Amino acid sequence: MIRTLLLSALVAGALSCGVPTYPPSVTRVVGGEEATPNSWPWQVSLQYTSNGKWYHICGGSLVANNWVLTAAHCISDSRTYRVVLGRHNLNTAESGSLAVSVSQIVVHPKWNSSDVSNGYNIALVKLANPVSLTDKIQLACLPPAGTILPNKYPCYITANGTLPDVLQQCRVLVVDCANCSSSGWWGRTMKTSMICAEGDGVISSCNGDSGWLLNCQATDGRWEVHGISSFTYNYCHKLSVFTRVSSYIDWINSVIANN
Ligand SMILES: *[C@@H]1O[C@H](CO)[C@@H](O)[C@H](O)[C@H]1NC(C)=O
Ligand SMILES: *[C@@H]1O[C@H](CO)[C@@H](O)[C@H](O)[C@H]1NC(C)=O
Ligand SMILES: *[C@@H]1O[C@H](CO)[C@@H](O)[C@H](O)[C@H]1NC(C)=O
């Protein structure tokens, strides 16, 4: 009996990330589409305040009940931030959504905003209070350290849209390092700590935002966040470069363990 309970607790633990209550629609719509509400429940909006109002600056993903993973380029020392969770439309009050203040921000120590191509475009944002997980607020799974997705692996970018401000999703295909670092693409700018993904040429509805997430489904069905958007869009190849989350797993774990 105890053994059975222990086993089911372990299984539940293993499934407690990356399995949305409201599953995303995994379609191949060209140009992106509105996401099914709350189908990416680890997606958060990082916002800063100015003159008494809050503004969306970047997306992020909830990786622990008090930590959000985002891009370092979203962070500026002079600003005050909050995190909004459980939201589909950023302009409407929605039941089940939460705004939580931020108690600490840890930007990767090697990040240099004057040298984005060097990598390390990653930051962790600590929430002032841990959040309760609900049907609309759930944890992202992160890939095992060192995971490399094969060429053309399908993933979904999720991003705040422009007008209406509802969460958009765009299907993309991973471009492997050999292709992405070839001279016709990103060349030497591409580092192994990055992951590239190619849109269908019309990913315009996912074009307005920063701090996109690259969500990829593992073979066991769980969604993992493999990338955090880093470089601006390459118009020639409709290609985006992301921070490859799987090369920062040790850093993420040590920040969370030590803060
Ligand atoms: C979503 O992103 C666009 C483009 O960056 C921005 O203009 C818009 O204000 C954002 N939405 C919200 C609610 O902040
Ligand atoms: C950041 O990058 C710029 C441009 O490459 C460089 O001049 C500067 O020395 C770098 N700063 C640090 C602390 O490495
Ligand atoms: C690029 O992608 C193609 C098609 O998937 C693949 O056959 C090739 O090996 C890749 N690498 C390079 C360097 O082109």
Side-chain angles (χ1 to χ4, degrees):
M1 181 62 182
I2 287 173
R3 202 189 149 91
T4 312
L5 280 178
L6 196 62
L7 199 65
S8 53
L10 285 175
V11 171
L15 291 176
S16 64
C17 64
V19 184
T21 305
Y22 311 104
S25 72
V26 285
T27 58
R28 295 172 169 242
V29 171
V30 170
E33 61 185 323
E34 180 178 337
T36 301
N38 309 109
S39 63
W40 306 101
W42 46 87
Q43 171 95 29
V44 306
S45 165
L46 183 68
Q47 307 187 344
Y48 68 94
T49 184
S50 173
N51 294 322
K53 291 178 77 178
W54 290 97
Y55 298 93
H56 172 89
I57 174 81
C58 274
S61 57
L62 188 70
V63 296
N65 66 356
N66 58 346
W67 286 97
V68 163
L69 186 65
T70 190
H73 76 252
C74 303
I75 306 298
S76 154
D77 284 344
S78 56
R79 284 180 171 166
T80 300
Y81 294 92
R82 72 171 186 181
V83 168
V84 174
L85 307 100
R87 198 57 84 77
H88 178 59
N89 184 331
L90 285 177
N91 277 343
T92 325
E94 292 175 317
S95 73
S97 83
L98 276 183
V100 183
S101 50
V102 164
S103 62
Q104 190 184 355
I105 298 181
V106 183
V107 171
H108 196 288
K110 292 190 176 168
W111 163 246
N112 179 348
S113 57
S114 308
D115 191 6
V116 182
S117 66
N118 197 37
Y120 307 106
N121 190 358
I122 190 167
L124 279 159
V125 173
K126 189 175 189 183
L127 305 180
N129 312 104
V131 296
S132 301
L133 304 180
T134 66
D135 60 336
K136 295 177 178 166
I137 302 175
Q138 288 164 22
L139 300 181
C141 297
L142 299 182
T147 306
I148 303 286
L149 294 175
N151 205 38
K152 299 204 188 303
Y153 197 90
C155 298
Y156 286 83
I157 291 177
T158 48
N160 149 51
T162 47
L163 294 178
D165 282 329
V166 295
L167 192 70
Q168 303 290 311
Q169 66 176 45
C170 297
R171 186 175 187 269
V172 295
L173 300 177
V174 166
V175 177
D176 65 13
C177 191
N179 278 288
C180 194
S181 63
S182 70
S183 57
W185 298 54
W186 279 99
R188 280 184 296 156
T189 305
M190 165 68 187
K191 306 287 188 304
T192 54
S193 63
M194 300 172 186
I195 176 172
C196 302
E198 184 182 22
D200 47 27
V202 212
I203 59 170
S204 51
S205 67
C206 289
N207 213 3
D209 202 0
S210 190
W212 305 331
L213 306 184
L214 182 69
N215 301 279
C216 310
Q217 195 166 25
T219 47
D220 66 1
R222 296 188 304 162
W223 289 91
E224 297 172 336
V225 173
H226 276 259
I228 305 166
S229 82
S230 187
F231 291 9
T232 48
Y233 197 61
N234 176 326
Y235 287 93
C236 293
H237 291 289
K238 314 296 181 204
L239 186 76
S240 306
V241 179
F242 295 77
T243 300
R244 182 164 64 77
V245 172
S246 69
S247 71
Y248 294 95
I249 299 296
D250 290 348
W251 179 76
I252 292 167
N253 287 337
S254 79
V255 169
I256 291 178
N258 295 314
N259 287 280

